[in-house]
Amino acid sequence: MTKFLVTDLLTPRVVKTPRKAKSSKGLPKVGKSFLVIVLFMVLMILAAVGWFVVRPQILAKKGQQQQIAESEPEPVQPAKQTPNKPPKKPIKKPRGKGLEDIPWMCFYKPLLNSIPRARGNLYSIVSGPEGVLLFSGVVPGENVEIDPKKPLLPGMRVENPKIIEVNPVDGGVNYVVQADMIPMDEIDFDPEPIPPYMRGQMLRQIDSTAKAFELSDVSSEPIGNEDVKNGSRYLISLKAQGSLEQIKKFVEKMENSGKMLEIGQISLEGMEQQPLISDEIRLGLVFRLYNIELNIPENKPEISDTLKTTDSIETAKSDTINK
Amino acid sequence: MAKGSSKNIVFPEGFNVNKKRTGLGIALNEDRVIALKAEISSKGIVVLDADEQVLDSGTLGNGKINDLDSLLDSLKKLKKRMGFKAKYVTTNLPHQFYFMKRFVGPEGYFSASLANIEWEIKHHINGNISDYAVSTVNTGKTDNNKTNTIILASHHRVIDERSEVMTRLGLSLSAIDPDMLAIQNAIAVALSNSLEKMVMVVDASSPYTAFSLLSNGVFYPGGFFPTSKKILFGKDEQAVKEFAAQIVKVYNMAYRIMGLSMKKKKPDMLIILGRLADEAFNNDLASALDISLFDGNPFHTSTVKSKMKKSDIPWTSLIKPFGLALRTDHD
């Protein structure tokens, strides 16, 4: 049914004010001081109870355990495996088998490398829904036809490009294209899971690495935890500013951290509305830190442990079958 | 649909007919200003008066007001001739001054909160989001029952500039509407009951030509492109053919994502408006595009009547200020 379209471009914007803490809202000054004193006294009482009552009990229990441990004989260590076994070589894992649960691992370094080769000028790259990238730019020339079949970003691992929007602008044609991301075929390291107790450390590492690569206005924060197949993942957002080169180095460093870490969402746009290659870039990233058990049948420890020497997954397979 | 009380007139959903009023719309076009007064009530719309004033050369340049005094002089002449005593007015934003983006999703998928709108729009504008006025409107359901939402953004500078013109004319701005939405609203009120399934609307003007689609009553923004000098200075057969070819090209680009193209699925009807529109040009263009041409008059329908004694201005030029007048909520 036809609608009468009512928009409102005249209403002035409401200036956002910083949110106040709810607990202090409405409490008079005297009330606040009283609350602080009461809380302090409660803490003091708890500390005293802990020191004089609970601590002696714990110490007594610990002493008993130590006595028991000292009286038991030392367990005999089992003999170590033969030293003839060659050191394990890193195994390249085919994408789509083992790491399908971390689909965008190592995806963004090649993407950032492809930006200088873009047709015309690229102005922004942003994540759409899962596995979809949106990028906008300007191809110089009047009435240029944007053909999605001709790659706008040579070397970028995307497919099924669709033109979302085309607008003529001064000196060219502005486009917005949506494309499906193609995961990397393989990676050349064994990623380590990031268990929950390492999440804080990773947050600090991401933040400090960004600063070490001289990105400015860096702010990072945890944004949540999600259950995924075979485990869970932890999300950390990072906002920063810097040149394309600085961002490339930072992203490369993080993607090659050896950890189960991927960039889930990205947002790159110029601060001065210039092309990404020449502008200071406003960067937004969401890192996903995985704590999962990878489903790689070829690399299961019980298989490799049964072998005397294992150079490749194929050898491992055939040997197991021959047994 | 909002229903009128006495004659059972059906107005489009969202149109305010509860308050009887005289709406005034003023369209600031590149070469002229056109004003239209219309009486709006639940009994229907009556166009009372309309007039235009050609601007001195260079008063507006590519939509930008270069000579404010000259523009005000022209508007004052128009005001005097029409004798309008309105306090409120709605004016237009030319195509090149706004950004319009359509989002499709299931019901409730897109929450039109300020943060969401700003996040979406800032990926499409080359500027600081705080410099832009943004707004959204739900345009209805798609054929597969999804919701269409349009996000609109325009630079505060342009809005302030046009607002100042109206203030200095002694009028308060009731609303400011993009050209294509003003045209859409006019068509929705005047013609929604008599249109084909898929209608293409072309505003053939200078310096830009814009187009949109009305499919099963739902508005789909298209785009705009610079109107070639060839067609502006002579509407001969070759120029019209080239112009039609350009429309085909931009239509195919704009609606590719909807699976539409002039080859696969062309519109059932064509409405041509704007400065270039006249009988011969409209017929030539419709024939070049091979689409049936709308040949009615939106000011003589079941919902809209005209009390204008005589006007030299064709309805194809009045439709925009008419749409603007409908948006004015107070006398």
Side-chain angles (χ1 to χ4, degrees):
Chain A
M1 282 297 179
T2 310
K3 290 179 88 172
F4 190 82
L5 306 178
V6 179
T7 57
D8 184 8
L9 291 170
L10 287 178
T11 306
R13 303 275 201 82
V14 179
V15 180
K16 289 173 191 167
T17 49
R19 222 183 272 172
K20 285 182 184 173
K22 272 186 178 176
S23 58
S24 62
K25 204 178 173 182
L27 274 178
K29 213 172 181 181
V30 179
K32 274 185 206 170
S33 310
F34 178 73
L35 193 68
V36 170
I37 291 165
V38 169
L39 280 172
F40 179 73
M41 285 176 71
V42 169
L43 278 173
M44 289 300 289
I45 292 165
L46 284 173
V49 169
W51 185 261
F52 292 111
V53 181
V54 183
R55 185 170 168 269
Q57 288 178 1
I58 293 170
L59 284 176
K61 213 173 184 179
K62 207 174 174 185
Q64 281 176 0
Q65 281 175 348
Q66 208 168 351
Q67 279 174 0
I68 293 163
E70 278 167 5
S71 62
E72 278 179 4
E74 253 185 49
V76 180
Q77 292 291 324
K80 285 193 175 178
Q81 293 276 324
T82 168
N84 295 336
K85 192 176 175 181
K88 278 184 189 174
K89 285 181 185 174
I91 299 166
K92 287 195 172 184
K93 294 173 179 61
R95 172 69 63 180
K97 286 184 180 174
L99 295 181
E100 61 188 8
D101 298 331
I102 315 175
W104 314 120
M105 192 178 236
C106 299
F107 174 83
Y108 283 94
K109 181 192 154 189
L111 179 132
L112 295 174
N113 283 337
S114 70
I115 291 176
R117 298 196 294 273
R119 191 173 156 214
N121 285 318
L122 200 65
Y123 281 85
S124 74
I125 296 180
V126 63
S127 301
E130 181 78 22
V132 173
L133 266 187
L134 294 159
F135 49 96
S136 74
V138 172
V139 175
E142 206 166 304
N143 293 329
V144 183
E145 187 165 4
I146 307 291
D147 183 357
K149 284 173 191 165
K150 290 181 192 166
L152 290 156
L153 279 169
M156 191 196 261
R157 295 182 61 85
V158 291
E159 61 187 354
N160 305 326
K162 286 176 198 160
I163 293 177
I164 302 288
E165 194 178 300
V166 179
N167 285 318
V169 291
D170 281 346
V173 175
N174 172 237
Y175 64 84
V176 179
V177 168
Q178 168 190 313
D180 296 335
M181 293 155 58
I182 307 169
M184 298 301 288
D185 296 326
E186 57 182 21
I187 54 168
D188 54 6
F189 59 89
D190 290 323
E192 294 169 22
I194 303 168
Y197 60 82
M198 278 182 66
R199 288 169 175 174
Q201 182 191 328
M202 283 305 293
L203 174 63
R204 288 190 292 279
Q205 191 180 324
I206 289 170
D207 195 272
S208 58
T209 309
K211 286 170 185 163
F213 282 101
E214 296 183 338
L215 294 173
S216 61
D217 291 328
V218 176
S219 71
S220 56
E221 59 177 336
I223 52 173
N225 180 52
E226 291 172 344
D227 286 333
V228 291
K229 193 180 157 193
N230 302 329
S232 65
R233 69 184 180 196
Y234 188 60
L235 310 180
I236 291 173
S237 85
L238 178 119
K239 290 178 190 168
Q241 290 168 22
S243 68
L244 181 61
E245 278 307 308
Q246 289 167 329
I247 291 169
K248 270 160 67 175
K249 283 176 188 165
F250 166 63
V251 167
E252 185 180 352
K253 177 79 179 170
M254 291 319 304
E255 287 195 325
N256 289 331
S257 65
K259 302 274 196 302
M260 286 189 188
L261 171 151
E262 70 173 359
I263 293 169
Q265 281 179 306
I266 194 165
S267 166
L268 295 173
E269 57 180 334
M271 300 278 289
E272 303 292 330
Q273 294 78 56
Q274 298 299 312
L276 291 177
I277 48 167
S278 55
D279 204 353
E280 178 85 352
I281 296 171
R282 188 183 284 129
L283 166 74
L285 294 175
V286 174
F287 287 98
R288 292 167 174 170
L289 281 48
Y290 285 81
N291 181 33
I292 56 173
E293 207 171 295
L294 289 181
N295 182 24
I296 311 172
E298 300 92 330
N299 198 31
K300 275 186 178 172
E302 57 266 31
I303 295 172
S304 57
D305 284 351
T306 55
L307 301 168
K308 298 293 178 198
T309 54
T310 306
D311 285 335
S312 70
I313 293 170
E314 288 308 313
T315 325
K317 268 185 175 175
S318 57
D319 283 5
T320 315
I321 292 163
N322 292 335
K323 283 182 178 186
Chain B
M1 287 266 183
K3 285 187 179 179
S5 57
S6 59
K7 290 182 184 174
N8 239 358
I9 293 175
V10 180
F11 290 108
E13 186 188 327
F15 180 52
N16 177 11
V17 284
N18 297 327
K19 189 180 174 183
K20 189 180 173 184
R21 62 196 185 273
T22 302
L24 174 65
I26 298 181
L28 304 180
N29 297 329
E30 191 73 0
D31 66 331
R32 67 195 63 209
V33 286
I34 308 176
L36 183 142
K37 268 194 307 188
E39 193 179 76
I40 301 157
S41 74
S42 56
K43 292 176 185 170
I45 318 291
V46 181
V47 177
L48 300 173
D49 197 5
D51 203 349
E52 68 177 1
Q53 178 68 41
V54 175
L55 298 172
D56 292 338
S57 173
T59 304
L60 264 72
N62 208 10
K64 189 175 180 295
I65 299 166
N66 291 331
D67 189 340
L68 180 58
D69 292 335
S70 172
L71 177 62
L72 281 170
D73 282 347
S74 299
L75 283 166
K76 280 172 188 167
K77 283 178 196 165
L78 193 65
K79 185 180 179 183
K80 197 176 171 186
R81 279 208 307 275
M82 289 180 74
F84 53 73
K85 292 170 185 169
K87 283 183 186 168
Y88 292 91
V89 65
T90 297
T91 193
N92 66 316
L93 280 173
H95 306 297
Q96 66 272 30
F97 286 148
Y98 59 86
F99 170 82
M100 206 183 269
K101 167 89 184 164
R102 184 177 70 98
F103 290 90
V104 190
E107 186 84 52
Y109 177 76
F110 182 81
S111 160
S113 67
L114 187 63
N116 268 354
I117 297 166
E118 286 191 349
W119 191 89
E120 292 289 353
I121 210 85
K122 77 177 183 183
H123 298 297
H124 300 279
I125 52 170
N126 288 331
N128 192 335
I129 186 70
S130 61
D131 295 335
Y132 286 77
V134 290
S135 184
T136 59
V137 61
N138 180 331
T139 57
K141 299 266 185 184
T142 59
D143 294 345
N144 53 2
N145 209 28
K146 287 187 176 169
T147 305
N148 280 297
T149 306
I150 284 178
I151 296 187
L152 186 66
S154 182
H155 204 286
H156 281 303
R157 191 189 60 241
V158 182
I159 296 170
D160 293 347
E161 192 179 65
R162 288 179 174 239
S163 178
E164 191 195 341
V165 171
M166 295 305 153
T167 307
R168 288 180 64 172
L169 196 64
L171 296 166
S172 291
L173 214 50
S174 180
I176 186 160
D177 256 2
D179 277 349
M180 221 59 216
L181 282 192
I183 291 167
Q184 158 64 21
N185 281 337
I187 290 172
V189 167
L191 301 172
S192 63
N193 300 325
S194 55
L195 292 179
E196 298 289 332
K197 198 179 169 194
M198 195 160 84
V199 183
M200 184 184 188
V201 181
V202 177
D203 178 16
S205 294
S206 169
Y208 294 100
T209 292
F211 61 97
S212 65
L213 208 56
L214 193 60
S215 178
N216 287 327
V218 178
F219 171 72
Y220 293 91
F224 67 97
F225 58 90
T227 309
S228 69
K229 283 181 184 167
K230 204 170 179 181
I231 194 78
L232 284 173
F233 292 113
K235 296 182 228 171
D236 56 72
E237 194 181 339
Q238 184 57 30
V240 172
K241 269 187 183 171
E242 286 176 18
F243 187 65
Q246 203 164 10
I247 288 178
V248 170
K249 194 174 167 183
V250 291
Y251 176 92
N252 291 346
M253 281 200 287
Y255 298 116
R256 190 201 300 255
I257 199 161
M258 288 166 62
L260 300 178
S261 74
M262 284 288 184
K263 268 188 187 170
K264 282 184 197 165
K265 195 176 177 185
K266 62 169 61 180
D268 305 307
M269 186 189 271
L270 186 64
I271 299 180
I272 305 168
L273 314 160
R275 186 182 147 186
L276 293 179
D278 61 38
E279 198 178 338
F281 172 75
N282 290 5
N283 282 324
D284 290 349
L285 186 58
S287 141
L289 291 169
D290 192 23
I291 305 173
S292 311
L293 184 66
F294 169 75
D295 63 351
N297 185 335
F299 297 145
H300 295 288
T301 66
S302 57
T303 48
V304 184
K305 304 282 178 235
S306 174
K307 269 192 183 176
M308 286 191 294
K309 284 171 191 166
K310 194 185 172 188
S311 174
D312 295 332
I313 314 168
W315 70 261
T316 49
S317 293
L318 291 177
I319 199 92
K320 196 193 298 176
F322 175 66
L324 295 171
L326 297 176
R327 281 278 275 124
T328 309
D329 276 341
H330 304 276
D331 287 332

